[in-house]
Amino acid sequence: MLLLFAVRMVRTGIERAFGASFQRVVTQNRNRASAALAGLTLAVILQSSAAVALLVAGFSTAGAISFGSGLAVVLGADLGSALLIQVFSFDLQWLVPVLLAVGGGLFIKSQQRKLKQAGRIVLGIAFILISLRFLRETMDPIRDSAFLPVIADYLATDFISAFVVGASLAFLMHSSVAVILMCVTLVSVGAIPVVAGVSLVLGANLGSALIPVWLTRGMVNAARRVPVANLALRGAGAFIVLCAVNKLDLLPYIGSMTSAQTLINAHILFNMLLLTLLIFANRLEAPIARLLPDPAPSLEEQSPFHRSTLDETVLDKPHLAIANLKREVLRMLQLVETMFASIMDAYTKYDPTQARAVLSEDAYVNAALDDVRRYSAALQGSALSKAENKRVRELAEYAIAIETAGDIVAKRLIPLAKEKAQKGIRFSESGAAEIQSMHEQVKANLQLASNLLVSDDLESARLLLEEKQEMARMERKSRKRHLKRLSEGVQISFDSSDIHLETVSSLRDFNSHVASAAYPLLYRGGQLLETRLIEQEFEDIDVRQR
């Protein structure tokens, strides 16, 4: 347990100190050799090839790394963990006091985040060395018992059982490094023979490949392909080498039959052999993709709302490209409108399935914003007039506002509806009516904003901005009425106070982002002062009266 804890402690410290850089290190490699080297380095740093495989699975989900590069990273990580075992097999006990003093001092005294995590890493390495010494000391009395020789002899003669035991231990402990270090320690003190130790180590290789497959079982198929390919290569390779070593008497060519170094040699050679299989990665991708195909797009994903309207081929035609950009922003607004429409249903009767559907729509909105930003940047790099450049910027800014409005639904209103349902909170009749009224008004403003995007009508822009001011008044009025109900001692208002106030504030903020479409048009039309709308109608009336 100390060994497992120590390995995890080192990995946790490195992840907290440098976790943000891992994606860049893994995904920036363009060829398989550099990808394998990156995997080797990360495995040494994280002290876990399974952790590297999980990183690759996550990056595969986002399409940030190809199958070939991902497999290269994982196979390189396996070799890295083997080399790490070689380092820990040396007699480093003299380092333990130094590591404890330095690591403990940094972890306890340092105020800087990275220095504190460096202390955690150094302490973890010290604990690994201590745990290995404990293992050796614990094995001394057990080695002389009558029980252990029987087990050791059985594992030496039945290499299949030893292989299964090694795989099971690595899977259960979720660390092949810990299992192999334990096997090396057992062999070094003479508790088990070398031949049984090699079978256990090969089994641990299979177990370490099973770990990421198990942990990614709930992910999409694109994320599972690299771990499954690694399991296929590693599992088949480990079994073939197991049979070859035990049937062809190859161990004397790997190392001494009495030295624990033979286990490490076998482990390193096996992983180096697997790494050479990268030349066949292209041939492996197709069968793995057939085994784990991408799911057919759902009816929801096939909806026109979920297909981008941006056309890269018309970037050299600004008037068409800007029209495409406008259509894409309108699509974003329609997606957010769909998300917002179901909010009152969530407040009335919360449905987790419906909530997940809203969150999935938010992912489409986020993706659309990324596309709009890229398209706008490409468009602004072409020959545009000053007015066209300004229009592109306005559309990009409104896309940001729409995405923020979608976040208000996904990250504020949906969680509030969930909290209301979980705590059994009810609104007072007047409070529910106020929220319902604001919701209906925002839905109407969404339609007005959609029309404004299509028509660029100045009067519609004035109306949308006036509705923004009206929404602010509705929010203030609802807040005052709610506080009045609290002062009158209405118990149901006390229970729902936080959720009510946060809901009306969220509705106002959502509406403000939607209404921001009116500002550019009103500025261009000279209808907006720095502080308020020009009251043109009242000025016309005053002129006529004179």
Side-chain angles (χ1 to χ4, degrees):
M1 289 307 299
L2 179 60
L3 179 59
L4 281 174
F5 171 76
V7 170
R8 181 176 179 83
M9 188 175 183
V10 174
R11 185 164 70 245
T12 301
I14 292 171
E15 286 174 346
R16 291 180 181 177
F18 309 106
S21 304
F22 289 161
Q23 180 169 0
R24 176 178 50 80
V25 172
V26 173
T27 58
Q28 72 180 359
N29 299 286
R30 292 293 178 262
N31 61 71
R32 290 173 194 169
S34 60
L37 182 61
L40 186 153
T41 305
L42 282 176
V44 171
I45 292 172
L46 294 176
Q47 308 208 354
S48 171
S49 58
V52 177
L54 287 175
L55 282 174
V56 170
F59 299 152
S60 298
T61 302
I65 190 169
S66 66
F67 175 86
S69 296
L71 187 57
V73 170
V74 173
L75 292 178
D78 292 325
L79 179 58
S81 68
L83 295 175
L84 182 68
I85 290 167
Q86 176 67 81
V87 173
F88 282 129
S89 68
F90 297 140
D91 184 9
L92 301 173
Q93 290 302 314
W94 60 273
L95 264 179
V96 170
V98 177
L99 295 176
L100 286 174
V102 174
L106 287 174
F107 186 74
I108 294 172
K109 297 295 184 180
S110 179
Q111 299 299 317
Q112 296 182 28
R113 182 174 180 271
K114 287 196 173 182
L115 284 178
K116 193 176 187 69
Q117 296 309 320
R120 182 192 296 272
I121 295 164
V122 174
L123 275 176
I125 294 171
F127 291 155
I128 289 174
L129 298 175
I130 292 171
S131 65
L132 292 175
R133 189 187 72 195
F134 283 172
L135 277 172
R136 283 192 290 270
E137 293 175 354
T138 305
M139 283 299 120
D140 283 337
I142 298 177
R143 179 184 52 190
D144 300 327
S145 68
F147 173 73
L148 187 60
V150 174
I151 297 297
D153 291 342
Y154 173 72
L155 293 178
T157 55
D158 188 349
F159 59 87
I160 297 294
S161 295
F163 183 75
V164 172
V165 168
S168 302
L169 284 173
F171 182 76
L172 291 173
M173 295 172 72
H174 272 44
S175 174
S176 61
V177 172
V179 172
I180 295 173
L181 283 173
M182 186 171 65
C183 292
V184 170
T185 302
L186 292 174
V187 171
S188 67
V189 299
I192 59 174
V194 169
V195 64
V198 170
S199 299
L200 287 166
V201 166
L202 290 170
N205 277 275
L206 172 63
S208 71
L210 280 169
I211 295 168
V213 172
W214 173 257
L215 294 178
T216 59
R217 66 191 184 280
M219 293 185 179
V220 297
N221 284 349
R224 299 173 59 205
R225 287 173 191 153
V226 170
V228 168
N230 180 54
L231 174 61
L233 290 176
R234 192 170 229 39
F239 188 76
I240 291 171
V241 172
L242 174 75
C243 296
V245 165
N246 285 276
K247 294 296 185 181
L248 302 179
D249 196 24
L250 297 178
L251 279 184
Y253 300 99
I254 299 174
S256 170
M257 294 299 292
T258 59
S259 172
Q261 182 63 38
T262 306
L263 272 67
I264 301 172
N265 292 346
H267 186 44
I268 293 175
L269 287 172
F270 171 67
N271 283 282
M272 290 177 68
L273 180 64
L274 280 184
L275 199 56
T276 63
L277 298 179
L278 276 178
I279 58 177
F280 303 108
N282 286 339
R283 297 182 181 180
L284 192 60
E285 183 174 6
I288 294 294
R290 284 196 295 271
L291 178 66
L292 297 169
D294 290 322
S298 64
L299 291 176
E300 177 187 273
E301 293 170 332
Q302 294 174 5
S303 166
F305 281 172
H306 300 122
R307 291 199 294 269
S308 176
T309 63
L310 299 176
D311 185 358
E312 304 283 344
T313 63
V314 298
L315 283 171
D316 58 338
K317 301 179 180 66
H319 63 289
L320 294 179
I322 292 174
N324 277 337
L325 197 58
K326 185 183 289 189
R327 288 173 59 202
E328 185 70 2
V329 174
L330 179 61
R331 183 177 75 89
M332 289 180 64
L333 189 60
Q334 290 170 328
L335 284 170
V336 170
E337 184 179 355
T338 303
M339 294 169 60
F340 186 77
S342 61
I343 284 299
M344 290 314 298
D345 292 336
Y347 270 77
T348 303
K349 186 177 180 181
Y350 183 79
D351 182 1
T353 303
Q354 186 185 50
R356 285 193 295 271
V358 171
L359 296 179
S360 68
E361 292 290 312
D362 188 50
Y364 286 112
V365 175
N366 295 340
L369 176 61
D370 290 339
D371 292 342
V372 166
R373 282 193 289 229
R374 283 193 292 269
Y375 198 81
S376 299
L379 187 55
Q380 287 178 316
S382 59
L384 296 181
S385 67
K386 184 177 180 181
E388 288 171 337
N389 255 315
K390 188 174 182 181
R391 185 57 176 149
V392 170
R393 284 198 305 272
E394 290 170 357
L395 288 170
E397 288 170 359
Y398 190 48
I400 295 171
I402 294 170
E403 192 272 339
T404 306
D407 285 344
I408 289 174
V409 176
K411 298 176 181 178
R412 289 169 62 178
L413 290 171
I414 288 293
L416 286 171
K418 182 179 180 180
E419 181 184 354
K420 177 178 177 293
Q422 288 177 340
K423 294 182 178 180
I425 292 172
R426 292 184 301 110
F427 291 134
S428 64
E429 288 187 11
S430 53
E434 291 162 9
I435 291 174
Q436 180 71 44
S437 177
M438 290 182 70
H439 181 262
E440 291 171 354
Q441 188 61 50
V442 175
K443 285 204 299 183
N445 293 345
L446 277 164
Q447 288 290 329
L448 187 57
S450 298
N451 296 338
L452 182 60
L453 272 176
V454 175
S455 66
D456 284 342
D457 177 55
L458 194 60
E459 193 57 37
S460 296
R462 287 179 60 89
L463 180 59
L464 184 59
L465 202 54
E466 288 170 356
E467 290 296 341
K468 176 187 174 182
Q469 296 168 350
E470 176 61 25
M471 181 59 61
R473 282 194 290 270
M474 291 177 72
E475 189 262 345
R476 287 195 300 271
K477 188 180 294 185
S478 177
R479 187 170 63 245
K480 289 178 180 178
R481 288 175 177 173
H482 179 76
L483 293 175
K484 183 179 180 181
R485 290 192 291 271
L486 291 179
S487 66
E488 292 172 352
V490 179
Q491 184 60 42
I492 195 170
S493 295
F494 276 106
D495 296 337
S496 64
S497 182
D498 289 342
I499 293 180
H500 180 98
L501 294 175
E502 289 182 34
T503 298
V504 295
S505 175
S506 298
L507 291 173
R508 180 204 62 201
D509 293 345
F510 180 95
N511 187 78
S512 296
H513 290 295
V514 169
S516 63
Y519 286 103
L521 192 58
L522 290 170
Y523 272 122
R524 287 200 301 272
Q527 295 292 302
L528 197 64
L529 297 176
E530 290 185 2
T531 58
R532 62 183 178 86
L533 282 167
I534 296 174
E535 300 296 341
Q536 185 66 44
E537 292 181 3
F538 291 105
E539 291 176 3
D540 292 342
I541 292 171
D542 185 50
V543 168
R544 286 195 299 271
Q545 287 176 343
R546 289 179 183 176

